[in-house]
Amino acid sequence: MKLQSFFPYQLAQLAEAVSRSVAGVYADRFGLSRDEWRILAALAEEGQMQASALVPHTSLDKMQVSRALARMEQEGLVLRQPCPDDARARIVRPTAQGRKLYRKIVPMVQAREAYLLQALSCAEREALLRAMEKIRERAMQAVDAAD
């Protein structure tokens, strides 16, 4: 087996290249890490979330979420408050500053996404999305079968 032609490796390489390309938008201009951007985007989408719910929603691990939230709270981008139903849990929501930053970044990351996808025709983009969904579903079936 050659690692360079192994599908999971190729996919990881693609994901890393795309992630780094998009990260250039928010990291260089706004000083956000990839983890912080994912959390900010999730909170913008959901309004507020339990900190523990950010783990599956962002595909980050617990420690990554914790560290990113600590920095974001320090920078005034999020607020963490006790959950009324569970004293151990924290509800996280973006501050006005966090929402403003998100609105500023979104057009830029969308432009980067559009730039990347311009390499494909409309039909190729649709086929790629369908293929990714099929592979994701198959991978989740394999994970569920292993559990």
Side-chain angles (χ1 to χ4, degrees), residues 82-100:
C83 178
D85 303 331
D86 182 354
R88 296 171 297 158
R90 296 285 178 258
I91 298 291
V92 183
R93 69 173 188 265
T95 62
Q97 179 183 344
R99 288 188 300 274
K100 182 179 178 183

Side-chain angles (χ1 to χ4, degrees), residues 60-76:
L60 300 171
D61 67 37
K62 202 171 158 181
M63 186 57 71
Q64 289 171 300
V65 168
S66 179
R67 287 182 182 145
L69 284 176
R71 184 175 179 281
M72 293 172 77
E73 189 172 37
Q74 184 179 0
E75 295 294 319

Side-chain angles (χ1 to χ4, degrees), residues 29-121:
R29 294 181 182 122
F30 303 102
L32 284 181
S33 70
R34 181 187 67 174
D35 298 352
E36 292 162 349
W37 165 248
R38 285 186 187 179
I39 290 170
L40 191 59
L43 293 174
E45 183 180 327
E46 299 295 326
Q48 67 178 25
M49 300 176 73
Q50 277 196 16
S52 60
L54 286 163
V55 171
H57 197 86
T58 59
S59 297
L60 300 171
D61 67 37
K62 202 171 158 181
M63 186 57 71
Q64 289 171 300
V65 168
S66 179
R67 287 182 182 145
L69 284 176
R71 184 175 179 281
M72 293 172 77
E73 189 172 37
Q74 184 179 0
E75 295 294 319
L77 301 175
V78 299
L79 289 174
R80 289 191 282 186
Q81 298 177 316
C83 178
D85 303 331
D86 182 354
R88 296 171 297 158
R90 296 285 178 258
I91 298 291
V92 183
R93 69 173 188 265
T95 62
Q97 179 183 344
R99 288 188 300 274
K100 182 179 178 183
L101 180 61
Y102 174 78
R103 287 191 303 272
K104 189 181 286 189
I105 294 172
V106 165
M108 296 176 193
V109 295
Q110 287 175 327
R112 181 61 53 97
E113 175 191 38
Y115 169 77
L116 294 171
L117 291 175
Q118 283 173 351
L120 304 174
S121 69

